[in-house]
Each structure stands twice: as structure tokens, then as C-alpha cells.
């Protein structure tokens, strides 16, 4: 299944104009790099976020959130949010904010 273009468009609107973000097609979906580091993206109908191990532990206790696993092996510090958890733009904005906060702590990549 290709990625959800509607979710991608909503996400694109939210990151538009924020410094350091760049869109990139990857893993059968679309992602946004922040200063060269993967930050947020869309895989099938899921929002994926890079939030760090500590924040992921908290977020995974919430409904509609699961560990990011698109290869059969979960990635630490990442989360996937189901469409049911993204009904309002404020839901997506919250997840982008958490990811941006974490990824801005990482050294930039070229």
C-alpha cells in the first residue's frame, strides 16, 4: 500500500516554513528531514515520529501509538501513530513538536 497522501499533505502544511526541514521520499513513504536527520514521516496510513527513547516510553502508553516497526524489528526512540490518533491537526502538530524538540538536539548531518 502506498503512503496516505492526505496525511502527507497535512504533515507538509504543518512543517512548511519551519527552518531546517526538507521532504524526502523513503521507505515506501515520505519523510521530513530536520537538519539532515529523519524527524517525521508517513508510512502507509501511519505517522512516524523520531522522539527519543525517553519520550517514546511515555508516548507508547497512549492509545493509537505503537513502536515503529516496518522491517520486523522495532526502532528504539521512534513511534507510529494510527489514523485514529490523528483526527485533528492539533494531534499531528503535537507529534511534530515532540519530534522536532528531540531531533534539534542531534548534530546536523550533511
Amino acid at each position: 500500500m502506498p503512503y496516505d497522501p492526505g496525511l502527507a499533505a497535512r504533515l507538509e502544511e504543518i512543517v512548511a516554513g519551519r527552518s531546517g526541514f526538507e521532504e524526502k521520499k523513503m521507505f515506501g513513504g515520505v519523510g521530513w528531514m530536520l537538519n539532515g536527520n529523519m524527524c517525521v514521516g508517513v508510512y502507509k496510513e501511519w505517522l512516524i515520529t523520531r522522539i527519543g527513547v525517553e519520550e517514546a516510553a511515555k508516548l507508547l502508553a497512549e492509545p493509537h501509538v505503537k513502536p515503529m516497526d516496518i522491517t520486523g524489528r522495532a526502532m528504539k526512540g521512534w513511534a507510529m501513530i494510527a489514523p485514529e490518533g490523528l483526527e485533528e491537526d492539533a494531534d499531528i502538530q503535537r507529534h511534530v513538536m515532540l519530534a522536532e524538540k528531540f531531533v534539534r538536539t542531534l548534530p546536523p548531518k550533511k
Side-chain angles (χ1 to χ4, degrees), residues 43-82:
Y43 177 75
K44 297 185 180 181
E45 72 276 5
W46 295 82
L47 173 68
I48 57 173
T49 62
R50 185 177 188 182
I51 51 178
V53 174
E54 289 180 26
E55 193 63 40
K58 296 178 210 171
L59 196 61
L60 292 171
E62 296 183 14
H64 315 300
V65 179
K66 70 177 189 173
M68 182 175 158
D69 182 356
I70 61 174
T71 64
R73 188 169 145 185
M75 295 177 66
K76 293 180 182 177
W78 293 74
M80 297 178 74
I81 300 89

Side-chain angles (χ1 to χ4, degrees), residues 11 21-27 29-33 38-42 48:
L11 186 56
F21 276 92
E22 179 182 359
E23 182 178 342
K24 187 173 184 179
K25 304 280 189 221
M26 54 178 46
F27 48 77
V30 61
W32 279 265
M33 312 297 281
M38 180 63 189
C39 184
V40 295
V42 179
I48 57 173

